[in-house]
Amino acid sequence: MNHETILKMGRYRELSLKDADPGVVKNLHRFMLRLRRCEEALIAEYHPADEMKCPIHFCIGQEAVPAALSVVIKPEDYLFSHHRTHGFYLAKGGPMNSLFAEMYGKATGASGGLAGSQDLSMPSVNFCSGAILSGATALAVGAALGFQRQKKKHVAVAGFGDGASDEGVFWEGLNYAALHKLPIVFVCENNRYSTYSPQFKRMASENISERVATFGVTARTVFGNDVMACTSMLREMVEGARAGRGPYFLEAFTYRMNSHVGPEDDSYVGYRPKEEFDFWQQNCPISLLEERMVEQNLLSAPEKEKILKKINSEIAASFEFAKKSPFPGNAEWSKLNYSRGSPLADQLLKDCELKEFNQNQADTIPGPY
Ligand SMILES: Cc1ncc(C[n+]2csc(CCOP(=O)(O)OP(=O)(O)O)c2C)c(N)n1
């Protein structure tokens, strides 16, 4: 599967609710609707008021993968994401009001108002993100190594885009994870573009997962707007990683509907063909699921209204919370997600040194070296 082959298939018809737990289906739907509405509300407020000073990378159109993760990962698992953070943050259980407060640079924000959208972290829910392309994949590999060493049954998930796989550090981390069979799931949302550069201008092969597989990693592709398919694949992968069969790589083909960054329309650049945009708009992950839910009597118009009402009041409360919260002062610096040393990393280094480092190693290598 790749973007070219997907465009040829027209309207996607394969989303199936067969054997699906109706409770899970409803959760997935609610999650996607909440994420979509929350981003639409942020977009509506972003410019007129100009109170949110940080750059924001919206993920409208890409709701299915975070929704799937929200039902398959556990609170003790860790999620490391790239700059397009909102979906992953909510998937890890980050509260909406701390997300909004972070956008406003307030002390009550997930990162104390000092990170903004693209570097958002919330240690209390094991969520961490960063704007350095593929940086989060390296952190996820480190966390997975820590879990393995400590014999913890936690899984590290790395969420990133196709552009992140252009970075060397991604392949180094992947190789290390494969070599040590680390409990990690790499989740690549392939939306075909790295800012304005299409995938076919950056890589000779349009399918990242085929290359990933050559590293000895179980790699699969999925139509990334089919939330049911994403959920079953991610469930299998997260459970596999937890059972020590990792690492795994999922390439989910999807599309962002907004500009690369900010709420403006960047179609004036002319980098995306209209037919391609229309295809993905017709295959919106929320409407694909809703269509099936209505067919199976899992959703009615009044039920949707009720869900939306609840979401809208959560959004209104989050705006109020964010706007009323104070800005961080100098006295708050000690509360930052920063430490001079990491007790976990220090311990890891000590363990490695004591148990594995062979100081006579050089003598065992036959010279000349
Ligand atoms: C090391 C590094 N190089 C370049 C950038 C600039 N940059 C920010 S986002 C981006 C494109 C990312 O594309 P992708 O990984 O596919 O994610 P998407 O934005 O499509 O979700 C680039 C090149 C960066 N943040 N870090």
Side-chain angles (χ1 to χ4, degrees):
M1 192 189 286
N2 63 41
H3 274 281
E4 276 306 313
T5 55
I6 286 171
L7 287 178
K8 291 194 185 107
M9 70 194 194
R11 173 93 164 133
Y12 183 79
R13 311 249 169 231
E14 287 165 40
L15 190 149
S16 167
L17 298 184
K18 199 170 161 276
D19 303 327
D21 175 339
V24 172
V25 175
K26 287 182 180 184
N27 283 344
L28 289 168
H29 175 248
R30 213 176 301 124
F31 181 96
M32 291 198 291
L33 217 49
R34 182 169 172 257
L35 174 55
R36 172 77 57 96
R37 285 293 308 122
C38 135
E39 293 223 308
E40 285 172 345
L42 285 170
I43 286 173
E45 277 285 307
Y46 195 70
H47 272 323
D50 202 24
E51 288 170 344
M52 288 173 250
K53 300 293 184 189
C54 62
I56 303 184
H57 300 75
F58 294 99
C59 63
I60 291 182
Q62 300 189 191
E63 290 89 354
V65 165
L69 283 172
S70 77
V71 299
V72 304
I73 49 179
K74 295 187 177 176
E76 59 269 29
D77 294 331
Y78 280 62
L79 208 161
F80 297 84
S81 116
H82 63 160
H83 51 278
R84 213 170 288 289
T85 57
H86 303 179
F88 292 121
Y89 168 88
L90 294 177
K92 199 66 199 63
M96 195 193 283
N97 59 4
S98 320
L99 173 67
F100 279 36
E102 190 60 36
M103 306 298 104
Y104 281 82
K106 297 299 182 73
T108 52
S111 302
L114 294 157
S117 171
Q118 58 176 353
D119 290 291
L120 183 75
S121 287
M122 197 168 203
S124 57
V125 296
N126 299 344
F127 175 78
C128 175
S129 78
I132 302 300
L133 222 51
S134 208
T137 62
L139 294 180
V141 171
L145 174 65
F147 302 151
Q148 188 186 62
R149 295 245 164 210
Q150 293 180 318
K151 303 200 181 336
K152 285 187 172 153
K153 288 284 169 206
H154 304 172
V155 174
V157 176
F160 53 97
D162 47 289
S165 80
D166 295 336
E167 300 289 332
V169 69
F170 166 72
W171 299 99
E172 292 173 35
L174 185 82
N175 185 52
Y176 191 85
L179 190 63
H180 294 280
K181 302 208 177 334
L182 297 184
I184 180 167
V185 181
F186 295 93
V187 185
C188 176
E189 287 179 303
N190 183 335
N191 64 13
R192 205 176 200 184
Y193 295 92
S194 175
T195 313
Y196 301 142
S197 308
Q199 197 183 344
F200 59 81
K201 287 203 174 166
R202 301 168 2 239
M203 10 179 138
S205 146
E206 282 234 31
N207 187 311
I208 300 165
S209 47
E210 277 171 18
R211 275 179 292 149
V212 166
T214 64
F215 278 64
V217 173
T218 308
R220 296 179 70 184
T221 58
V222 68
F223 183 66
N225 284 16
D226 178 342
V227 73
M228 300 312 297
C230 290
T231 303
S232 62
M233 281 206 188
L234 283 171
R235 178 164 283 132
E236 204 181 304
M237 291 183 169
V238 169
E239 280 170 12
R242 207 182 301 288
R245 295 191 295 272
Y248 291 86
F249 176 92
L250 183 66
E251 183 173 14
F253 290 92
T254 183
Y255 208 70
R256 72 172 146 76
M257 302 314 295
N258 288 83
S259 27
H260 165 68
V261 58
E264 298 86 1
D265 178 9
D266 62 2
S267 56
Y268 67 91
V269 181
Y271 70 109
R272 302 202 282 191
K274 186 178 176 313
E275 309 75 60
E276 182 183 285
F277 192 87
D278 292 347
F279 168 88
W280 286 100
Q281 202 156 36
Q282 280 163 23
N283 286 296
C284 153
I286 302 179
S287 36
L288 287 181
L289 180 66
E290 282 184 352
E291 216 169 78
R292 288 284 175 281
M293 287 177 78
V294 170
E295 274 170 23
Q296 314 268 319
N297 292 326
L298 286 174
L299 185 70
S300 65
E303 276 163 349
K304 187 171 169 184
E305 266 316 299
K306 222 169 122 188
I307 300 168
L308 281 174
K309 216 172 146 197
K310 224 172 146 193
I311 292 171
N312 288 340
S313 66
E314 187 187 8
I315 289 171
S318 298
F319 271 125
E320 199 186 339
F321 174 79
K323 290 183 182 192
K324 280 194 176 155
S325 293
F327 284 106
N330 286 345
E332 309 287 326
W333 283 99
S334 59
K335 293 185 191 159
L336 292 179
N337 305 328
Y338 169 83
S339 70
R340 284 186 177 275
S342 152
L344 173 59
D346 290 350
Q347 191 55 48
L348 266 173
L349 284 174
K350 263 195 208 144
D351 288 352
C352 291
E353 215 173 325
L354 291 178
K355 294 183 196 142
E356 286 173 19
F357 181 67
N358 175 1
Q359 60 184 352
N360 299 319
Q361 197 173 31
D363 299 339
T364 63
I365 302 172
Y369 24 81

